[in-house]
Amino acid sequence: MKILVIGKPTYNIILTQDKYLVEGSKNVLKEKYEMMGGATVYAATLLAKWGMDVTYTGVLGADPNGQKIKTDLENARVNTKYIELNYENKTSIDYILINKANGSSTQMITEMPVNLAKYKYDFIPDYIIMDGTDPQGSLAALNNFPHAKFILLANKVDQELYNISKRCTYVVANSSFAKALTKMDLELNKSKALVNFFQKIKDLNKAEYVVTLKDKGVLYTKEREVKMLPATKTNVVDDTNAGAVFFGAYCYGLINGLDKDITMKIATTSAALSMQKYGIESIPKLEDVCNVLNIKITSQNEKEEPNNAQSEETDIPKENVE
């Protein structure tokens, strides 16, 4: 399978403090980490580390930060042939402040205001993964590869992102995007309301949706039934990129034709493991995820069911999504 990932990389600077900062206070910086970031960078890196054929495209500044991102992607076995360098703007920077008391992150981003200018590739991708941070590149791919399957991470309420989502095959949406799309609230304790929620999505959008709920878990459909899988409990060190790791692991299961329940367990477990470390190094090994779940992935289309999976999904069976 040929996979093309489209996005806008960031250079992450992670700063930690023992507790959340008080306005006007003076604080001593004890830890500082610098590494590549961005949701699609995480997804591409995870897929490449898990053995997939991945090409990444996006715009970087022709500066040391941009070069480090490109080198680190290549070291992760991601094809960077189609990354574009911009000599007028610096690479986007994401300053991430971690509260060590609970692992909660606060982010401040300086974003490069430049998108992809070239849309030609020397291969035909089977899957195209994107998060809408480079809308021009995403729309060009949608137009140029009508037979590819598109997987979108929709993690902000944005009209441009909504327009892209209508043309995708699969969408992983956070609750804010899903609620803005449907103009409905998520009533997690009411099964009929959840079925109606997903039916509304189905009426508005052809894509198959997964709705992430942070520490509450994930909602999805299987065989016209709505299911909820609780989040895997973990010791949180850094929650910044759990959603990106979930997205990458979900893409892995989807591309490899794994059972949907297994895919969701792999994604939620990967997200939980990722919160135990800082930054890009938090991406877990596939074997570690499988060990936690007590499963063995033997090929792209074969797997053994878990004997003792840690989290059990909940069916919402009262009505079906048409």
Side-chain angles (χ1 to χ4, degrees), residues 25-248:
S25 64
K26 182 179 290 187
N27 302 273
V28 177
L29 181 64
K30 296 181 180 180
E31 295 176 309
K32 178 182 178 183
Y33 306 94
E34 299 187 26
M35 60 197 72
M36 63 180 176
T40 51
V41 166
Y42 272 76
T45 301
L46 181 145
L47 290 169
K49 287 186 173 182
W50 288 14
M52 307 301 290
D53 184 355
V54 184
T55 296
Y56 190 91
T57 184
V59 183
L60 291 169
D63 53 24
N65 291 346
Q67 185 55 57
K68 186 176 189 313
I69 292 172
K70 188 172 185 294
T71 300
D72 287 349
L73 282 169
E74 291 166 355
N75 289 339
R77 299 183 179 179
V78 176
N79 182 359
T80 64
K81 179 179 179 180
Y82 297 100
I83 282 181
E84 297 178 18
L85 296 179
N86 184 278
Y87 290 86
E88 297 179 357
N89 295 275
K90 293 183 178 180
T91 301
S92 301
I93 297 179
D94 187 357
Y95 297 93
I96 303 169
L97 180 63
I98 303 295
N99 178 1
K100 296 184 72 174
N102 57 15
S104 177
S105 61
T106 302
Q107 300 180 61
M108 295 169 285
I109 303 174
T110 60
E111 187 171 308
M112 175 189 287
V114 180
N115 293 307
L116 287 165
K118 300 175 183 177
Y119 312 125
K120 292 185 178 181
Y121 309 95
D122 63 2
F123 67 99
I124 298 176
D126 300 291
Y127 286 86
I128 299 176
I129 297 169
M130 50 197 179
D131 63 356
T133 51
D134 194 309
Q136 283 85 345
S138 299
L139 290 170
L142 285 162
N143 293 330
N144 293 339
F145 300 108
H147 300 297
K149 293 181 179 179
F150 291 83
I151 311 174
L152 174 69
L153 177 63
N155 57 3
K156 64 179 180 179
V157 179
D158 180 89
Q159 183 62 46
E160 205 162 31
L161 191 61
Y162 169 66
N163 293 337
I164 291 171
S165 74
K166 291 191 294 184
R167 300 177 60 185
C168 290
T169 321
Y170 305 94
V171 175
V172 176
N174 65 11
S175 57
S176 296
F177 184 92
K179 287 190 286 188
L181 171 67
T182 60
K183 295 180 172 60
M184 296 172 64
D185 198 10
L186 266 170
E187 299 178 84
L188 299 180
N189 59 339
K190 296 182 180 179
S191 59
K192 184 175 180 179
L194 291 178
V195 171
N196 291 338
F197 189 88
F198 270 86
Q199 185 63 59
K200 181 69 171 180
I201 290 175
K202 194 77 173 176
D203 293 341
L204 292 170
N205 201 312
K206 69 176 184 178
E208 181 178 302
Y209 264 68
V210 170
V211 180
T212 57
L213 307 170
K214 293 187 175 181
D215 59 348
K216 292 183 177 64
V218 58
L219 288 167
Y220 64 102
T221 59
K222 181 182 179 182
E223 297 173 354
R224 297 171 59 194
E225 290 185 339
V226 180
K227 292 191 170 189
M228 181 173 180
L229 181 66
T232 303
K233 294 182 179 179
T234 188
N235 177 34
V236 181
V237 173
D238 176 8
D239 68 0
T240 312
N241 300 294
V245 172
F246 175 96
F247 180 59

